[in-house]
Amino acid sequence: MTEIVHCTRDDSVEVLCGYLDRDAAIVLDGALDETTLASLREELSPFFESARPGRNDFAGFHTQRIGALMARSPTCRRLAVDPVVNATCDRFLAPHADGYQLHFTQAVRIGPGEGAQALHRDRGVWGGRVPRRIETQLSTIWAISGFTQDNGATRVVPGSHEWDKDREPEPHEILVAEMEPGSVLIYSGTVLHGGGSNSTDTHRLGVLLHYTLDWLRQEENQYLSCPPEIAKDLPPQLRALMGYSRAHDILGFFSSPTGPGEKGLELADPQRLFDKEALG
């Protein structure tokens, strides 16, 4: 393989998942228009002004990262519930769970002089305790600026999701996910990948939104990053995706922390948290 497969919104979910099953990575071209991109830049820019760069080789010494995107960026909320991405998640992760949830949100700005990130598999956050036959997640990197080989475009090793975990890729097997602004890289939690080096004098900006099985713990604690006082103003679909919902009819219930004799809810679906009548 000489390049990552590029698709469009016109391709069916079956086609997208077919490529993902084979390669574990695709690029969806033209997923965002320029108005949406401008909104994202405007909403994220103030946070990068005060964001500190990373402090180790993996995080990058010239790379800035900001999280809590569901609380901070209305446009990122729209990306999180993108219908094509969510339909792809629903089908791709269906063999391993009854549903999926938002796992991780982060905007990443790779600065000039940054070195290449070590290739890794995102499923490593669970310490290798989930069997390899279970795919843990599906992830997206939205290109807010152009992604090129020179400015730090993500490097991916298609097909490495089927390798033995200790196999190292040959140089020719490492491909660069070059993308125009508005495109999105979709990849599995088991494929080897990593940020590239930036030898230009400009920043490379991307938005990362990852999705995982509804029975695994999320990498980003959504309930602290976007607590109920903010989540109450979000659409119910997005709240449920973040984890303000029950899975398997029991996982994730809550009870009101009321005192003796006080009215509250017991073993309730978290969506009831936003039902003013139920809470009195």
Side-chain angles (χ1 to χ4, degrees):
M1 179 179 293
T2 58
E3 67 175 22
I4 298 169
V5 171
H6 285 242
C7 302
T8 72
R9 287 190 180 276
D10 293 331
D11 290 303
S12 68
V13 171
E14 289 75 16
V15 168
L16 301 182
C17 287
Y19 287 128
L20 285 168
D21 287 337
R22 187 190 72 180
D23 302 336
I26 60 172
V27 170
L28 195 66
D29 290 321
L32 300 177
D33 58 30
E34 183 53 45
T35 300
T36 302
L37 290 169
S39 295
L40 287 164
R41 296 183 190 111
E42 181 180 3
E43 291 167 9
L44 298 173
S45 179
F47 298 102
F48 281 115
E49 291 179 4
S50 57
R52 295 183 298 183
R55 297 182 176 181
N56 56 55
D57 288 333
F58 189 81
F61 295 101
H62 303 283
T63 296
Q64 297 168 288
R65 302 170 186 271
I66 60 172
L69 299 187
M70 296 303 97
R72 290 169 159 171
S73 170
T75 307
C76 283
R77 297 169 192 164
R78 288 164 42 200
L79 268 56
V81 294
D82 180 87
V84 172
V85 169
N86 277 252
T88 304
C89 279
D90 191 46
R91 186 178 182 90
F92 185 75
L93 297 175
H96 312 294
D98 292 335
Y100 61 94
Q101 59 187 326
L102 190 63
H103 174 54
F104 174 85
T105 75
Q106 195 171 90
V108 178
R109 190 165 75 163
I110 296 179
E114 185 60 85
Q117 187 184 46
L119 295 175
H120 60 283
R121 293 180 168 92
D122 284 344
R123 66 182 298 129
V125 298
W126 292 285
R129 293 175 175 83
V130 181
R132 285 285 296 274
R133 62 183 174 79
I134 296 176
E135 180 52 74
T136 57
Q137 67 203 89
L138 195 64
S139 302
T140 64
I141 301 178
W142 298 82
I144 312 307
S145 63
F147 278 39
T148 69
Q149 182 161 352
D150 293 333
N151 76 358
T154 307
R155 299 170 302 138
V156 184
V157 186
S160 59
H161 62 305
E162 296 183 340
W163 294 0
D164 180 86
K165 65 182 180 64
D166 296 322
R167 183 192 156 181
E168 296 291 334
E170 299 292 333
H172 70 275
E173 294 175 311
I174 305 173
L175 306 184
V176 178
E178 294 193 297
M179 299 187 284
E180 294 293 325
S183 298
V184 56
L185 172 67
I186 305 175
Y187 62 99
S188 82
T190 311
V191 73
L192 285 168
H193 69 285
S197 60
N198 187 348
S199 60
T200 72
D201 59 1
T202 60
H203 290 81
R204 191 224 76 179
L205 177 59
V207 166
L208 285 61
L209 301 174
H210 298 182
Y211 306 82
T212 192
L213 309 177
D214 59 6
W215 51 268
L216 281 172
R217 183 169 184 178
Q218 297 146 297
E219 184 172 355
E220 179 185 23
N221 190 317
Q222 298 295 328
Y223 322 108
L224 296 180
S225 290
C226 189
E229 57 265 28
I230 297 175
K232 65 180 177 61
D233 296 321
L234 303 184
Q237 178 191 2
L238 179 56
R239 287 200 303 257
L241 186 63
M242 293 167 61
Y244 285 102
S245 58
R246 284 190 309 204
H248 305 271
D249 199 41
I250 188 65
L251 292 179
F253 73 80
F254 86 104
S255 296
S256 304
T258 53
E262 296 178 334
K263 183 179 180 180
L265 297 172
E266 300 294 344
L267 312 184
D269 187 315
Q271 292 285 13
R272 295 290 303 280
L273 182 66
F274 308 102
D275 185 341
K276 295 181 180 178
E277 181 176 346
L279 294 177

